[in-house]
Amino acid sequence: MRLGLFMQPVHDPARDLTQVLEEDRETIILADRLGFEECWIGEHASATVEPITAPLVFLATLLNETRTIKLGTGVFCLPNQHPAQVAGQAALFDHLSRGRFLMGIGTGSLSSDVELFEVGGDTDRGALVRESIEHILAIWQQEPPYDRAGEQWAVRIQDMDRSEFGVGHFIRPYQKPHPPIAISIMSPGSGSALMAGENGWIPISGAAFLQPRYTASHWERYAEGCERAGRRPDPSIWRVSRSIVVAQSDEEARDYVLDPDGPMAFWFRYFESSIRARGIARFAAPDDHPDPDNVTWSEIAESQVAFGSPGTVMDKLVALRDRVGPFGVLTAMAHEWDDPVFCRRSMTMLAEEIMPRLAQHARAAA
């Protein structure tokens, strides 16, 4: 069992953007020092609540301030951009990071981005992801000239008059044959999980608001995809996200998580608005909730966040693993730092006091 970090990030738009971005950087620098294996950074073009518009630009500022942590896009929203742009940017960053790059891809679900890039309605965003990644892999593997036509995009370079100078050629990644590819999985029974299994990609169950009774379906679909491809499913590559708050006592952690004016309340209210708009509030409702379509943010938070003293959090994470299955990487959700001392202490106790015991438990269970 290894430890990672998933950072959308989500911030109160009323806060100073420069300040919150610096806090996000400090979070990742601390994660690197604490031995977190990886971090995943979101991409959103049109929301000040999730303000990182270009994850590789943000991650590039961390290359000289981190040493071992792997830096991933969580995710490139492939329907929103031309695959040649993604291929070029990803290959460049892979070189700059000397192979510390993880390439997360996905459909993108932010409502304003879906409207902005005109990929809503009847658009099959999953099909666009498949087409885009096929173009990207071809760009990295094939020699020019290029003449690839798809339903949404074309990759066409025919003029090879200056090929000797490299004109018409795409740069290729540092890692061979390409960086590890991961795909974000959100909904129960997700087609993205099936796609990950079929293609040998890393499955990331990134919806920390999703109840474990649904998260388990991600592994089932991933395993189904592996079976179709004649591949043995490897649970060690499965990432499962969870919000985690570690404090000196259960009471301190509970007060922090359920503070109606705190960052956790803002985070859950924001997602409550999203899942209500999409008609999927029931996916976040606790087991046996009497009215799952009208679940409140505090009910979601109390049932979903692994909060408490180190011992209590350990018990909750063991229960999570027992419920969803033997995943290999716990990706802790990054939240706003309203109290830097408290937040640094929470991360430190997770990495130093809980994860060694959780990894030991996982080995024993295996």
Side-chain angles (χ1 to χ4, degrees), residues 61-130:
T61 71
L62 293 157
L63 288 174
N64 293 328
E65 298 195 57
T66 58
R67 292 294 175 262
T68 61
I69 194 168
K70 295 178 182 178
L71 308 172
T73 50
V75 296
F76 280 131
C77 300
L78 293 186
N80 303 349
Q81 50 205 311
H82 196 285
Q85 293 175 301
V86 178
Q89 293 166 13
L92 175 61
F93 186 81
D94 199 32
H95 282 273
L96 294 174
S97 69
R98 296 293 195 274
R100 280 199 283 151
F101 176 50
L102 299 170
M103 185 170 171
I105 63 174
T107 61
S109 60
L110 180 67
S111 57
S112 55
D113 281 1
V114 169
E115 179 183 3
L116 173 66
F117 295 109
E118 299 181 340
V119 291
D122 295 332
T123 303
D124 185 345
R125 295 202 300 276
L128 294 182
V129 168
R130 286 189 290 272

Side-chain angles (χ1 to χ4, degrees), residues 258-272:
L258 298 181
D259 178 0
D261 298 317
M264 301 298 292
F266 181 86
W267 192 88
F268 277 101
R269 286 189 181 116
Y270 169 58
F271 271 95
E272 183 188 8

Side-chain angles (χ1 to χ4, degrees), residues 6 204-209 239-243 320 329-333:
F6 199 105
I204 306 177
S205 296
F209 63 85
R239 275 70 170 168
V240 173
S241 300
R242 192 63 26 182
S243 293
L320 172 69
V329 182
L330 174 67
T331 52
M333 295 297 296

Side-chain angles (χ1 to χ4, degrees), residues 244-247 250 306-318 350 354:
I244 305 169
V245 174
V246 191
D250 292 351
F307 68 85
S309 65
T312 298
V313 172
M314 173 67 183
D315 290 343
K316 290 181 177 181
L317 293 175
V318 167
L350 172 62
I354 297 172

Side-chain angles (χ1 to χ4, degrees), residues 93-358:
F93 186 81
D94 199 32
H95 282 273
L96 294 174
S97 69
R98 296 293 195 274
R100 280 199 283 151
F101 176 50
L102 299 170
M103 185 170 171
I105 63 174
T107 61
S109 60
L110 180 67
S111 57
S112 55
D113 281 1
V114 169
E115 179 183 3
L116 173 66
F117 295 109
E118 299 181 340
V119 291
D122 295 332
T123 303
D124 185 345
R125 295 202 300 276
L128 294 182
V129 168
R130 286 189 290 272
E131 179 182 330
S132 179
I133 197 65
E134 287 173 2
H135 283 312
I136 291 166
L137 293 176
I139 283 170
W140 288 341
Q141 294 166 1
Q142 297 175 9
E143 297 292 339
Y146 298 92
D147 189 9
R148 293 183 52 84
E151 294 293 325
Q152 181 72 11
W153 302 282
V155 178
R156 185 170 292 112
I157 299 177
Q158 295 293 298
D159 184 355
M160 291 286 104
D161 287 350
R162 293 193 293 157
S163 179
E164 63 182 299
F165 296 106
V167 177
H169 296 249
F170 290 101
I171 64 171
R172 295 182 175 180
Y174 178 88
Q175 299 175 81
K176 306 302 179 189
H178 53 72
I181 296 173
I183 191 164
S184 177
I185 305 167
M186 301 291 283
S187 59
S190 170
S192 295
L194 184 70
M195 198 187 314
E198 290 174 333
N199 291 278
W201 301 338
I202 297 169
I204 306 177
S205 296
F209 63 85
L210 194 68
Q211 286 288 345
R213 64 180 181 271
Y214 296 114
T215 307
S217 71
H218 294 171
W219 176 256
E220 293 167 2
R221 289 286 276 170
Y222 171 76
E224 181 185 343
C226 288
E227 183 178 356
R228 289 187 183 184
R231 179 182 298 108
R232 181 185 295 274
D234 179 7
S236 71
I237 71 168
W238 184 21
R239 275 70 170 168
V240 173
S241 300
R242 192 63 26 182
S243 293
I244 305 169
V245 174
V246 191
Q248 299 290 354
S249 69
D250 292 351
E251 292 76 17
E252 182 186 18
R254 180 186 175 84
D255 289 345
Y256 183 84
V257 171
L258 298 181
D259 178 0
D261 298 317
M264 301 298 292
F266 181 86
W267 192 88
F268 277 101
R269 286 189 181 116
Y270 169 58
F271 271 95
E272 183 188 8
S273 72
S274 174
I275 61 180
R276 286 198 189 287
R278 296 162 63 188
I280 58 171
R282 63 190 182 280
F283 295 154
D287 294 349
D288 301 321
H289 191 282
D291 189 7
D293 288 326
N294 290 297
V295 63
T296 66
W297 76 265
S298 59
E299 290 172 325
I300 300 172
E302 189 161 14
S303 66
Q304 287 289 66
V305 180
F307 68 85
S309 65
T312 298
V313 172
M314 173 67 183
D315 290 343
K316 290 181 177 181
L317 293 175
V318 167
L320 172 69
R321 186 179 184 276
D322 290 344
R323 184 77 184 272
V324 306
F327 58 90
V329 182
L330 174 67
T331 52
M333 295 297 296
H335 292 281
E336 195 155 60
W337 279 20
D338 64 321
D339 182 343
V341 173
F342 179 93
C343 295
R344 288 192 186 98
R345 188 181 66 190
S346 176
M347 286 182 63
T348 301
M349 287 193 289
L350 172 62
E352 295 181 350
E353 298 183 35
I354 297 172
M355 282 308 299
R357 295 168 56 203
L358 188 62

